[in-house]
Amino acid sequence: DLTQEAIPLIKSYSPNYNKADRSSVDLVVLHTTEGTGTSALNTFQNPNNKVSSHYLIMENGLVYSLVNEKDVAWHCRNHNRDSIGIELAGYHNKTLNPEQIKSAQLLIKTILSKYNLERDHIKAHSELDPSRRKDPGKANLERILQGI
């Protein structure tokens, strides 16, 4: 998991995950919450919702650590076991805040380095589940990728 030196994290764990002992992943999956960060945090922490992500980046750029990277979060159908999920508070069709973009770039760069992954291992949720999802939105994805 990421250290405090790499990026400040607020630990607020979700009960929604599968215990694992992963030492590698193949993908970093980017999402938007399609709502507020507070609403997403409440959703991820409710065991009845059966959904989670490894990280949640709030509107102001603060990063919540919700599921340990070695464990499997429930964020992307058919790709949970081999990925790390990052949710950004906001909507796929609205511009994310600069603070969120900066935090996302730093977090993603740290993850790519840790798991020895290239930039092409970053995927939009919409790429992996196109019939159901539009997040994080083309413009938001492009802005994040520009700094990686």
Side-chain angles (χ1 to χ4, degrees):
D1 291 313
L2 300 174
T3 63
Q4 288 290 344
E5 294 86 50
I7 188 169
L9 297 175
I10 300 167
K11 294 187 187 285
S12 185
Y13 291 117
S14 170
N16 305 323
Y17 68 94
N18 292 343
K19 193 91 175 119
D21 196 16
R22 304 184 303 177
S23 58
S24 67
V25 297
D26 293 323
L27 297 173
V28 176
V29 182
L30 302 181
H31 307 261
T32 44
T33 60
E34 303 307 307
T36 67
T38 301
S39 174
L41 192 58
N42 290 333
T43 297
F44 293 150
Q45 291 180 328
N46 183 334
N48 296 320
N49 290 326
K50 307 287 187 220
V51 64
S52 62
S53 188
H54 292 93
Y55 298 100
L56 169 62
I57 302 176
M58 302 299 267
E59 293 87 348
N60 62 4
L62 287 176
V63 180
Y64 280 82
S65 173
L66 302 171
V67 174
N68 286 320
E69 289 180 11
K70 66 182 170 68
D71 295 323
V72 177
W74 305 336
H75 63 96
C76 185
R77 194 180 276 194
N78 299 320
H79 295 280
N80 289 329
R81 290 183 61 203
D82 63 351
S83 66
I84 289 178
I86 300 173
E87 291 272 359
L88 293 113
Y91 299 86
H92 73 275
N93 60 350
K94 293 186 179 169
T95 303
L96 295 170
N97 295 326
E99 298 87 0
Q100 289 177 288
I101 299 295
K102 183 178 177 189
S103 291
Q105 290 167 339
L106 180 57
L107 180 60
I108 293 164
K109 284 192 255 188
T110 303
I111 293 167
L112 293 180
S113 175
K114 178 178 180 178
Y115 295 102
N116 199 26
L117 299 173
E118 299 296 324
R119 190 175 184 260
D120 63 346
H121 289 258
I122 304 165
K123 301 293 181 192
H125 193 195
S126 58
E127 287 180 73
L128 302 174
D129 194 357
S131 65
R132 299 176 56 241
R133 301 292 182 225
K134 295 182 190 306
D135 61 308
K138 189 175 192 299
N140 287 327
L141 180 64
E142 287 173 1
R143 287 180 62 220
I144 292 167
L145 294 177
Q146 281 174 358
I148 296 178

